[in-house]
Amino acid sequence: ARAKTSTDGVVYYSALIDNELQELAARERELKEAVYNGELKIFLQPICNSYSEVVGAEALLRWVKKDGSVVPPMDFIRVIEENGMIITVGEEVLRQVCEFILDNDTSIGFIDVNVSPVQLRYPNMADRFIDIISAHKIDPRKIVIEFTENILIEMNQIVKDNIEKLLNFGCQLCIDDFGTGYSSLSYLTLLPLNKIKIDRSFVSRIPEDSRSVKLLEAIFNIARSFNLDAIPEGVENEKQLEVLSMIGYRLFQDYYFGKPMPVEDFAKILRERSKFTKS
Ligand code: C2E
Ligand code: MG
Ligand code: MG
Ligand code: MG
């Protein structure tokens, strides 16, 4: 294609950029419509204890198109972070989480909600979140705000205020993808965290890689010292589960225990499990 425009590279180049911008604009329009039409929905992935009992869940965003196809967050989160739509979308995620808790209050311990750095840097973020949780009259301790370590590198005053307000209101805090960011561990002494999630990349290397086993032991000990729940992500087989259990891990979130699923399916699992344990 480049050969066709060999006489005028500049025109070709700007046409290319133009094309990309048009594609991005089309994508943004599509996403705006998707939000408007309620096509952005949370899926819930179970978090289980060693007895495979569901104790909580993580809310994971999906774009469920009219034709039934499901678009993963990696394909659109970046776009909505860059154009600011993540603020509205993030509030919608929390609303859907609150509605789910309202409908299934007694059978669900907590739901983890991912928040992007863009949200935490938005001055009204915590106030808006508190309004939404209050409006649903649910226990704020059931809402776990989950973010990655990288936000803590540039902890400006807005981020600090948002985190403090959410904490004072009663929400819990979780560090996602623990150990993969560029942050120092000093935040452990500064933030009253409730839990950490250990990135899949560590878990996937066990049991073969003995250094990863040692690292998972060290992380477990840190978590225990700081009184944090530690949740490994991405357990894929019995052997991995065995090694993690031997280290001391008691909570798990992965395909082995259950994939992220539509809220109706998750509610059904909760109902069936509670029926089972009662009888
Ligand atoms: P994350 O918060 O670290 O979520 C865990 C991801 O690992 C999810 O991918 C989940 O489906 C996947 N996962 C869990 N167990 C397994 C396993 O055993 N094997 C494999 N291969 N994967 C597993 P997902 O749903 O595609 O989400 C990707 C990322 O998108 C999330 O990573 C999170 O950073 C972001 N995200 C998702 N929902 C939201 C949201 O509502 N708001 C924001 N800001 N970000 C979100
Ligand atoms: Mg997460
Ligand atoms: Mg993670
Ligand atoms: Mg992540």
Side-chain angles (χ1 to χ4, degrees):
R2 201 169 272 272
K4 275 186 214 157
T5 57
S6 57
T7 51
D8 195 347
V10 176
V11 170
Y12 172 79
Y13 183 66
S14 67
L16 184 73
I17 290 193
D18 210 47
N19 221 346
E20 278 177 7
L21 282 176
Q22 269 170 18
E23 252 169 53
L24 183 66
R27 190 79 172 156
E28 286 186 352
R29 261 199 313 277
E30 234 190 327
L31 273 160
K32 254 180 216 153
E33 252 168 65
V35 174
Y36 184 80
N37 295 332
E39 288 172 27
L40 292 196
K41 297 204 173 92
I42 58 161
F43 273 34
L44 293 171
Q45 181 174 30
I47 296 175
C48 296
N49 63 18
S50 312
Y51 309 102
S52 298
E53 292 164 339
V54 179
V55 293
E58 175 171 4
L60 294 157
L61 193 56
R62 299 287 182 268
W63 176 3
V64 184
K65 292 190 167 178
K66 277 189 216 79
D67 64 6
S69 60
V70 177
V71 185
M74 288 314 187
D75 291 359
F76 63 88
I77 292 262
R78 178 76 66 79
V79 176
I80 63 174
E81 277 182 340
E82 277 168 10
N83 73 5
M85 265 169 62
I86 189 75
I87 300 298
T88 323
V89 171
E91 288 169 7
E92 176 57 24
V93 164
L94 180 65
R95 226 171 271 124
Q96 290 182 25
V97 165
C98 289
E99 264 150 38
F100 184 85
I101 294 177
L102 205 55
D103 293 343
N104 300 275
D105 192 35
T106 52
S107 43
I108 185 94
F110 60 86
I111 297 186
D112 299 341
V113 179
N114 291 284
V115 300
S116 132
V118 178
Q119 288 172 275
L120 281 170
R121 290 189 197 114
Y122 176 66
N124 286 330
M125 183 262 183
D127 293 331
R128 301 287 291 254
F129 267 48
I130 290 167
D131 281 349
I132 293 168
I133 299 166
S134 305
H136 287 83
K137 297 193 174 65
I138 58 170
D139 183 351
R141 283 172 299 185
K142 293 204 172 196
I143 303 290
V144 185
I145 305 292
E146 198 172 294
F147 49 85
T148 56
E149 293 161 313
N150 289 330
I151 183 73
L152 303 172
I153 303 172
E154 26 179 338
M155 263 271 255
N156 62 27
Q157 198 56 46
I158 296 172
V159 175
K160 271 189 201 145
D161 288 348
N162 276 328
I163 291 178
E164 200 173 284
K165 278 183 189 169
L166 290 165
L167 272 173
N168 288 340
F169 183 63
C171 293
Q172 301 195 53
L173 292 189
C174 172
I175 296 289
D176 202 357
D177 306 341
F178 182 84
T180 62
Y182 295 100
S183 177
S184 90
L185 285 177
S186 62
Y187 66 77
L188 290 172
T189 66
L190 304 171
L191 268 184
L193 296 169
N194 301 89
K195 55 187 183 180
I196 56 175
K197 289 211 179 145
I198 296 128
D199 198 63
R200 200 162 68 230
S201 57
F202 298 127
V203 178
S204 66
R205 291 188 211 115
I206 64 164
E208 293 80 13
D209 181 24
S210 62
R211 289 182 189 209
S212 292
V213 175
K214 289 206 174 85
L215 190 58
L216 282 156
E217 280 169 356
I219 293 175
F220 180 80
N221 287 329
I222 290 180
R224 195 171 45 188
S225 313
F226 285 88
N227 219 345
L228 308 174
D229 281 335
I231 306 177
E233 291 184 324
V235 180
E236 272 165 14
N237 56 57
E238 195 91 35
K239 187 73 199 159
Q240 289 175 334
L241 181 62
E242 204 182 293
V243 172
L244 290 166
S245 303
M246 291 247 282
I247 294 173
Y249 288 99
R250 293 291 177 262
L251 294 170
F252 305 92
Q253 178 187 347
D254 46 65
Y255 291 177
Y256 189 77
F257 285 95
K259 288 194 170 181
M261 61 189 93
V263 291
E264 304 78 33
D265 297 351
F266 190 77
K268 216 158 102 193
I269 286 185
L270 287 180
R271 279 199 300 274
E272 279 161 9
R273 300 248 163 126
S274 64
K275 225 188 307 168
F276 183 71
T277 46
K278 264 180 225 148
S279 62

